[in-house]
Amino acid sequence: MKTSLMKNRIMKTFKNNFFPVAVTISSMLLLLFYSCKKPEQLPSMNKLASAEGAKVSAELLVEANPNADAAFNSFNSSFLISSGTTQYYKEALNVSGKDYFWRQALDIQMVEDVYLRTQSDAHKTLLTNLLNTFLQQNQGSGGLYDWNWNDYNDDLQWAGIAFARGYHITGNSTYLAQAKYAFDRSYNRGWTTELGGGIWWDVNHESKSGLSNNPEMILGCYIYEATKDITYLNKVIAIYNWVRATIYDPATGAVFENIRPDGTVSASANVYNIGAFVSAANHLHRLTGNSMYYDDAKRSVDYVKNNKTVGGIMTNGQRQGTWQSEFIRGLGEFVRDNNLWSTYYTWMKQNADAAWNIRRTDRNLMWNTWTTITPSDNITTAVECVGGVIMQQITPTTQPTGIVNNSVYRLTPKINENSSLDIAGGASGSLAEIWDWHSGGNQKFQIVSLGYGYYRLVPQHNTGTSLDVTGGSAANNTPIEIWTSNNNSSQAFKLVYDYHGYYKLKPKCAPSSCVNIQGANPANGTKCVLWPESNVDHERFSLTIQ
C-alpha cells in the first residue's frame, strides 16, 4: 500500500522536473494501396505479383530494429520477476519487491507499446500475466478488483489505462471492467464544480492537476472506443474543456502542473503532463474529427520540442521516476495517426539515438537523462528506464516515406500480398473486395489529403468517385464501396501506420473501426467491410506508389 509520504516524495521530485521525453513513432512506411474489382486477367499477372511480393519483403527488412528488441529484452533481464504465470517488474536492481502501483502500471504500458510493434503471442501472454498479477498484488479489503485503498486519482487512471489497452489487445472483458472501475472511481470522487470543474488529484483535495485530468481523458477515450457508451466521451470532452480553459496555454501549448484550491495556477509546465495532454487531444481528434484537438496537440508537441530540450535532446535530469514515456507515446501516436513523419522524424531519431548511446553497455539499460551515460550502479529503478525502451519501439530505423499527396497507390492486404484492394465495377455503389493484382485502374487509388490527417481515396477507373463507407454507417459489416465524391465523413479516412510497413484505413464516420477483409478470407472476391479495430492482419494494408 502506498503511503502519503511516498507519494509526496515522488511528486516533489516530479514537480520540479522537466520531463523532456523523446518521442517517436512507430515504424517505417511503405505505401502500398490497392483497390478492388474483378480484373481483366493479364498473362503476366503471376510474374507481376511475385515481383511486387519481393518488393514488399525487401522494404520490410529495412524496418527491422534490433535496438528495440535489445532494449526490451535487457529491461526484462534486469527487472522482470517470473514464477509460472505470476509475473511483475521489481522496483530496482537492488530491490526485489514489486514496483509500486502507478509505477507498475507504467511498466505494463511499456509492454503494450512493445506488443503493438511486434504483435508477438509471447508478448501478449506476458501482458496477460502482468495484468493478472497486478490484480492479485494490489487488491484491497473488498477483494481482487478493489483499489479503493488508493487515495490518488492519477494512480487509478494510470492503472486503468494499462487495463483498457490490455482489453483492446487481448479482448479480456475483465480488463475492460477494471478500466471502467478506475475511470468511474476517480471521476465520481474527484470531479467537482469548484474551480470551474476538473478532477482533484487526491481525496484531500490538494489540487486539481494535469496529472489527475489528462490521464482520465485517455482512459475515457479507450473505454468509449470499447463500449460506445457516449457518457464516457461526454465526460472526457467536459474534462478537456476544463483543462484547456484552466491549465493549458493556447498561445504556447504549455500545460501547467495544477491549480490550487485558492485559484493559484502553478507556473511549471512539465513534459509528462504535456505528453498525457497530447495523447488525449490526439485521441479526441481521432474520435470526433474536431480540428481544435489536432491543433492543440501539435502546439503542445512543438512547445516541448522548442522549450524543453537540451540541444534537441529530451532529458530528465533527475533519477526519481520518469513519465518521459507519456510524452514519447503521445508524440508517437500523433505522428503515426496523422502522417507527420517529415515534420518530426529527424527529432525523434535524434532522441532515440541519444537514449541508446547513453546506455550502460553491461545491461543495455537507459536511464532518463539522455545527455549523460547511465551509471553502472545497483540502484537503477525500473521506471526510470521505461522511456528509453519505448523510444526504441516507436522510432523507425529510417524515416518512413510517408504518404505523398495526390500520388497513386496500390493497397495490398497483408493476408494475401499477391492481391490488391479492388473495385468490382465502375459505377457508384460498386463494392470493394480483394483480387489478384493485375494493375488495372480499379486497383489503383489516388490518395488526396483532406487536411488534419484525413485522406480521400480516388479509384483511377472512375475518378469522379471515392472509397466510401456505405450510408456513412458505423455498424459492423457495413460494406465498403465507391460513391460519387462528396464532403461526407464516410469518404474521409485516417491511414494509420501500424508498424512493419502496414496501414489501417479508419473512416471518420466510424473512427474505432477499420476497413477489414471479411472473415480473414484471402480468396479472390472477398468483400471489404467495416469492423472494430482488432489488431489482426486482415485489417492491414501496405501502400505502394504506382
Side-chain angles (χ1 to χ4, degrees):
M1 309 286 271
K2 173 170 79 173
T3 65
S4 296
L5 181 60
M6 178 188 299
K7 182 75 178 195
N8 290 338
R9 174 176 59 82
I10 292 167
M11 288 312 305
K12 180 184 278 189
T13 304
F14 285 160
K15 286 179 181 175
N16 297 319
N17 244 0
F18 291 160
F19 259 84
V21 175
V23 160
T24 249
I25 315 182
S26 0
S27 354
M28 304 177 23
L29 344 173
L30 311 183
L31 298 177
L32 299 132
F33 233 145
Y34 311 109
S35 201
C36 306
K37 165 194 174 181
K38 283 195 175 78
E40 322 110 82
Q41 303 241 298
L42 304 177
S44 57
M45 183 181 69
N46 292 336
K47 185 174 182 181
L48 239 170
S50 292
E52 288 298 328
K55 182 197 293 186
V56 171
S57 298
E59 287 175 309
L60 294 185
L61 286 174
V62 178
E63 194 173 8
N65 189 343
N67 289 356
D69 294 324
F72 183 56
N73 292 339
S74 298
F75 185 94
N76 286 343
S77 295
S78 295
F79 299 110
L80 182 63
I81 303 296
S82 299
S83 177
T85 58
T86 297
Q87 291 187 289
Y88 60 91
Y89 288 105
K90 66 180 184 178
E91 180 180 340
L93 293 177
N94 65 338
V95 180
S96 60
K98 71 177 180 67
D99 216 355
Y100 180 69
F101 190 95
W102 63 265
R103 296 193 300 265
Q104 189 78 219
L106 295 186
D107 299 338
I108 293 172
Q109 289 187 56
M110 171 200 66
V111 177
E112 292 164 341
D113 295 326
V114 173
Y115 173 79
L116 292 178
R117 178 183 69 87
T118 66
Q119 303 293 315
S120 161
D121 287 341
H123 292 156
K124 184 186 290 188
T125 298
L126 172 61
L127 173 61
T128 298
N129 291 342
L130 288 167
L131 290 171
N132 291 342
T133 302
F134 188 99
L135 289 172
Q136 292 288 344
Q137 292 181 332
N138 292 284
Q139 60 185 298
S141 59
L144 188 62
Y145 308 108
D146 173 25
W147 296 340
N148 290 350
W149 57 267
N150 193 314
D151 291 341
Y152 296 89
N153 290 320
D154 62 314
D155 283 21
L156 299 190
Q157 294 159 13
W158 294 122
I161 293 170
F163 277 82
R165 296 180 74 198
Y167 167 76
H168 282 281
I169 291 170
T170 68
N172 187 328
S173 59
T174 296
Y175 302 158
L176 177 60
Q178 196 65 12
K180 292 171 67 176
Y181 162 84
F183 182 98
D184 295 343
R185 179 69 176 165
S186 56
Y187 185 90
N188 291 339
R189 74 182 184 184
W191 176 275
T192 68
T193 57
E194 294 134 305
L195 303 173
I199 295 173
W200 292 102
W201 175 44
D202 64 358
V203 297
N204 296 320
H205 293 187
E206 179 181 322
S207 67
K208 290 186 174 182
S209 68
L211 276 173
S212 55
N213 286 274
N214 297 326
E216 183 82 336
M217 291 191 283
I218 299 170
L219 176 55
C221 285
Y222 278 121
I223 295 171
Y224 171 71
E225 283 192 297
T227 65
K228 301 301 183 291
D229 184 341
I230 195 67
T231 59
Y232 285 99
L233 182 59
N234 288 339
K235 287 176 180 177
V236 168
I237 291 172
I239 296 168
Y240 190 94
N241 291 339
W242 178 84
V243 168
R244 196 175 193 277
T246 310
I247 56 174
Y248 174 76
D249 184 348
T252 67
V255 181
F256 301 116
E257 180 74 10
N258 59 37
I259 182 171
R260 296 284 181 174
D262 65 1
T264 302
V265 176
S266 167
S268 61
N270 296 316
V271 172
Y272 54 78
N273 260 333
I274 297 172
F277 177 82
V278 168
S279 188
N282 181 65
H283 215 143
L284 278 168
H285 176 246
R286 191 166 69 239
L287 291 175
T288 69
N290 186 332
S291 59
M292 175 189 73
Y293 300 124
Y294 175 104
D295 290 335
D296 288 351
K298 188 175 189 306
R299 193 177 297 115
S300 291
V301 168
D302 292 341
Y303 176 80
V304 170
K305 184 174 184 286
N306 297 326
N307 297 279
K308 296 292 184 179
T309 62
V310 177
I313 304 301
M314 295 176 281
T315 187
N316 177 24
Q318 295 190 32
R319 300 202 64 173
Q320 187 61 40
T322 179
W323 285 351
Q324 274 176 322
S325 57
E326 297 313 309
F327 183 77
I328 296 167
R329 184 177 299 115
L331 173 62
E333 293 165 350
F334 184 58
V335 175
R336 188 170 66 249
D337 285 357
N338 298 292
N339 188 36
L340 294 172
W341 302 98
S342 62
T343 304
Y344 294 110
Y345 178 80
T346 299
W347 180 47
M348 291 160 41
K349 187 67 163 64
Q350 177 189 14
N351 278 273
D353 290 346
W356 186 250
N357 290 338
I358 58 84
R359 73 192 186 282
R360 53 181 292 182
T361 54
D362 61 332
R363 289 182 175 269
N364 277 343
L365 292 177
M366 296 162 278
W367 69 341
N368 52 30
T369 302
W370 292 349
T371 53
T372 305
I373 296 295
T374 305
S376 297
D377 56 33
N378 70 343
I379 63 171
T380 301
T381 62
V383 77
E384 69 180 309
C385 298
V386 164
V389 176
I390 298 172
M391 192 78 231
Q392 306 310 314
Q393 306 306 312
I394 63 176
T395 306
T397 54
T398 60
Q399 180 174 336
T401 56
I403 296 165
V404 181
N405 189 34
N406 292 319
S407 293
V408 174
Y409 288 89
R410 168 189 174 185
L411 285 75
T412 303
K414 185 175 182 181
I415 62 170
N416 182 353
E417 294 189 340
N418 291 324
S419 69
S420 173
L421 182 64
D422 179 288
I423 304 301
S428 285
S430 297
L431 295 178
E433 61 188 6
I434 61 170
W435 198 270
D436 288 335
W437 170 248
H438 59 86
S439 195
N442 63 311
Q443 295 186 329
K444 296 177 181 178
F445 296 81
Q446 183 182 34
I447 299 182
V448 181
S449 174
L450 300 175
Y452 289 100
Y454 292 102
Y455 294 88
R456 176 188 304 281
L457 281 70
V458 179
Q460 293 305 283
H461 71 309
N462 185 349
T463 57
T465 64
S466 296
L467 199 69
D468 185 283
V469 178
T470 301
S473 172
N476 293 348
N477 278 319
T478 298
I480 306 301
E481 62 180 7
I482 58 170
W483 196 262
T484 303
S485 296
N486 53 52
N487 294 318
N488 293 342
S489 61
S490 58
Q491 296 187 352
F493 291 84
K494 290 271 189 182
L495 304 180
V496 179
Y497 188 64
D498 194 44
Y499 303 91
H500 308 296
Y502 295 99
Y503 290 82
K504 297 179 180 182
L505 283 66
K506 305 186 74 172
K508 190 174 184 179
C509 66
S512 300
S513 297
C514 298
V515 174
N516 183 293
I517 310 301
Q518 193 169 40
N521 184 350
N524 282 349
T526 301
K527 301 307 179 190
C528 299
V529 298
L530 200 63
W531 196 260
E533 184 174 15
S534 307
N535 293 310
V536 290
D537 284 347
H538 50 286
E539 64 189 15
R540 297 185 173 104
F541 294 83
S542 58
L543 298 163
T544 307
I545 202 163
Q546 298 299 297

